Amino acid sequence: LSTDVSIIQCKSYEQGPLKSALTEALALIGGIESFVKANERVLIKPNLVISTSKGSAVTTNPELIGVIIDMVRSVGAHPIVGDSPGIESAKKVAESSGLMDVVRDKKAEFIELSTPVNIEYRKGKKFKRFVVAKEALDADKIINVAKLKTHAQMYLTMGVKNIFGCVPGKRKAQWHFTAGVDTDSFADMLLDLYNLMNPALTVLDGVTSMEGNGPTSGDSRETGFLLASSNAIALDHAAALLICADPKDVPILKRAMANKLSGSNMDDINILGQDNATQALRVSDFNFPPLVSTNFVQKLPDFIERRLRKSISSRPHIESTICTLCNICVSICPTEVMTNIDEMGVKINYDGCIRCFCCQEMCPHRAITVKEGWLKRLIPGI
Ligand code: SF4
Ligand code: SF4
C-alpha cells in the first residue's frame, strides 16, 4: 500500500484556486485516473455531521465536493455524493451547508447512506463484524473527503474517522456503547472499518479547519492546505504533524502504530508537494481539546481502574444558560444517562457516562463543552 501523501497550499474555496490546488495534489500521487476508472460508480463521501450554516467549518466545504464531482466525471465515471449523519438526514445537512446547491448545479446524484447491511470482515484486527450502509458497499470506489477538526473523544477527526459515516445513522451510537470508555477500542474499530471500506482516495479539507470544542462547536481556523493520499492513515499522520500534534495523542494513530499498520510509521511516509511543505505550512498554535490520557491506569485492578479512568477522563458539561431543552442529546446518548427534567434542565448521570461525546457532537446549540476530569484538574500532569 502506497504511503505517498501530497500536501498543497490552498487558501481559498474559490473554484479556480481550489481546482488548481487539488489537481496538483492528485497529480503528485498519480492523477484522478489512477483512482477511478470510466463507468465506475464513485461515492464521494464528505463529512456531513450535523446541520450548519453555509461556509462553516463543521462540514467538508461544498465547493471542494464540486471540484471532485467534475474530476470524477472527467474520466468518464459516475459521481454520487452521500453520507449518513448521526441524527438528521444527509439531505437536510447538505441543504444547510450549501452542498445541495452544488450537487443540483452539477446535476449529480445524491444519496443517503441509510440501508443497514451485516457484513463479516475476517481480516479485522479486532472487530470482525460490521453493520454498514449498502449504498456505500455498492459503490465501485469511495473518495473520502474529510474535514480537519478537533474531536473531544478522538482528539482529531481526519481521514480514517470520516469513514465512520458509512455506518448508518444512529447505529453509530451502538459502537460507542460496544467500545465503552475505552478510546483505544473505539480507535481499533475505526481502523478495522476503514480497512473494510477501503476508500480509493482520501482528500483532507484543511483550507479552513476547526479547532477548540470540535467537531461541531469549535472555531474556524484558516490553516491553508489540502492533503491527498490513497492511504488515510498516512494522510492523518502527516496532517497531525502539520498542526504540531503528537501523533501518539491521536488514538487512531496510536493504535495504528501499535498494530504497525501501513502509514503509521512517519519514516515510511513519502511527503510530496511544495519543497519543505511540512515546514512551510506548519501551524504551531492550533487549539486542541483536552487530552484524554488514561493509559497508566490500565495495570490496576478493574474496579479501581474504572473509577480512576472516569475521574481523569474529560466529561461533557451542559451550559444551562445556552441549552434550549431540544432533547437531541437525550435521544442520541447510547447509554441513556441523560434526562431532561423540565425545570432543572438536562442532567447527566456520570456514573454511566462512557465519554463518547455523542451529545457534545450532536448538540445544535453549542451548549455542551468538554471539561477535564476532577482528578486531572487537581493533578494536571497525569
Ligand atoms: S442537545 Fe444541546 S440544546 Fe439540546 S437539550 Fe441537549 S444540551 Fe440542550
Ligand atoms: S452523556 Fe454524552 S458522553 Fe456520556 S454517554 Fe451520553 S452521549 Fe456519551
Side-chain angles (χ1 to χ4, degrees):
L1 187 61
S2 167
T3 51
D4 289 354
V5 180
S6 57
I7 303 176
I8 295 294
Q9 185 173 50
C10 182
K11 292 186 163 181
S12 160
Y13 287 116
E14 282 171 31
Q15 284 285 302
L18 198 53
K19 189 175 174 191
S20 72
L22 189 62
T23 303
E24 193 181 347
L26 294 194
L28 289 164
I29 53 173
I32 187 72
E33 59 278 9
S34 62
F35 301 104
V36 295
K37 307 283 179 228
N39 301 318
E40 284 182 336
R41 286 173 61 81
V42 179
L43 174 65
I44 302 171
K45 171 27 195 114
N47 181 330
L48 293 180
V49 57
I50 191 174
S51 284
T52 185
S53 53
K54 290 182 182 170
S56 99
V58 170
T59 59
T60 307
N61 188 276
E63 300 303 329
L64 179 58
I65 301 299
V67 170
I68 295 173
I69 290 172
D70 289 344
M71 285 185 169
V72 168
R73 281 203 176 120
S74 72
V75 293
H78 178 74
I80 307 158
V81 181
D83 194 10
S84 177
I87 40 178
E88 301 164 288
S89 71
K91 186 158 187 281
K92 184 170 178 227
V93 178
E95 289 285 5
S96 71
S97 69
L99 176 59
M100 278 317 285
D101 293 339
V102 172
V103 167
R104 278 190 285 266
D105 185 48
K106 303 273 177 198
K107 297 187 173 43
E109 190 180 339
F110 186 88
I111 54 168
E112 304 280 338
L113 305 185
S114 59
T115 313
V117 174
N118 269 295
I119 183 158
E120 200 170 337
Y121 183 49
R122 287 190 174 276
K123 286 201 246 163
K125 288 250 177 228
K126 186 163 177 181
F127 294 89
K128 315 266 183 207
R129 217 158 243 300
F130 284 93
V131 175
V132 294
K134 181 175 183 306
E135 295 82 0
L137 288 175
D138 285 350
D140 295 313
K141 295 280 172 58
I142 297 175
I143 298 184
N144 176 30
V145 197
K147 186 82 175 171
L148 174 56
K149 297 188 289 181
T150 47
H151 192 279
Q153 187 190 24
M154 306 312 289
Y155 202 57
L156 292 171
T157 167
M158 302 177 281
V160 173
K161 172 74 172 56
N162 196 46
I163 288 297
F164 196 34
C166 294
V167 173
K170 288 186 179 173
R171 284 173 192 267
K172 290 186 201 60
Q174 289 170 5
W175 276 112
H176 287 284
F177 194 69
T178 304
V181 192
D182 187 350
T183 300
D184 286 350
S185 181
F186 191 63
D188 284 340
M189 182 279 293
L190 291 170
L191 285 160
D192 279 336
L193 178 67
Y194 164 72
N195 284 320
L196 164 68
M197 299 311 292
N198 191 25
L201 170 67
T202 295
V203 175
L204 185 69
D205 173 4
V207 178
T208 302
S209 303
M210 178 178 279
E211 61 181 3
N213 192 27
T216 54
S217 302
D219 304 307
S220 290
R221 174 71 195 263
E222 308 298 318
T223 35
F225 49 71
L226 286 176
L227 274 70
S229 179
S230 60
N231 183 330
I233 299 171
L235 177 144
D236 286 4
H237 207 136
L241 291 172
L242 261 185
I243 55 169
C244 299
D246 183 342
K248 290 197 286 304
D249 290 339
V250 183
I252 287 172
L253 294 174
K254 185 180 114 186
R255 293 304 300 157
M257 285 183 243
N259 285 310
K260 300 189 168 42
L261 301 184
S262 169
S264 63
N265 183 349
M266 195 57 210
D267 293 340
D268 298 336
I269 297 175
N270 187 22
I271 301 286
L272 305 162
Q274 286 121 295
D275 285 347
N276 219 1
T278 44
Q279 289 298 329
L281 301 176
R282 182 160 290 184
V283 178
S284 58
D285 57 350
F286 202 76
N287 180 16
F288 295 101
L291 248 184
V292 183
S293 172
T294 55
N295 292 347
F296 80 99
V297 298
Q298 277 171 5
K299 291 184 184 64
L300 297 172
D302 267 5
F303 73 100
I304 302 178
E305 181 198 321
R306 271 198 303 276
R307 292 201 153 244
L308 260 181
R309 197 185 275 271
K310 283 186 177 167
S311 43
I312 295 161
S313 57
S314 309
R315 61 187 199 170
H317 169 77
I318 298 172
E319 298 290 344
S320 56
T321 51
I322 304 173
C323 174
T324 63
L325 299 178
C326 71
N327 251 5
I328 284 174
C329 57
V330 177
S331 69
I332 197 80
C333 173
T335 50
E336 300 183 350
V337 295
M338 306 185 86
T339 36
N340 183 346
I341 308 159
D342 279 345
E343 316 85 71
M344 294 163 63
V346 175
K347 298 286 167 222
I348 300 172
N349 172 4
Y350 288 109
D351 283 344
C353 169
I354 57 171
R355 275 59 168 175
C356 65
F357 295 100
C358 291
C359 52
Q360 178 251 3
E361 189 167 331
M362 291 298 149
C363 172
H365 302 289
R366 303 172 71 140
I368 303 183
T369 54
V370 181
K371 282 253 159 24
E372 284 194 320
W374 65 268
L375 192 56
K376 190 134 198 256
R377 286 202 303 276
L378 277 179
I379 317 170
I382 58 175

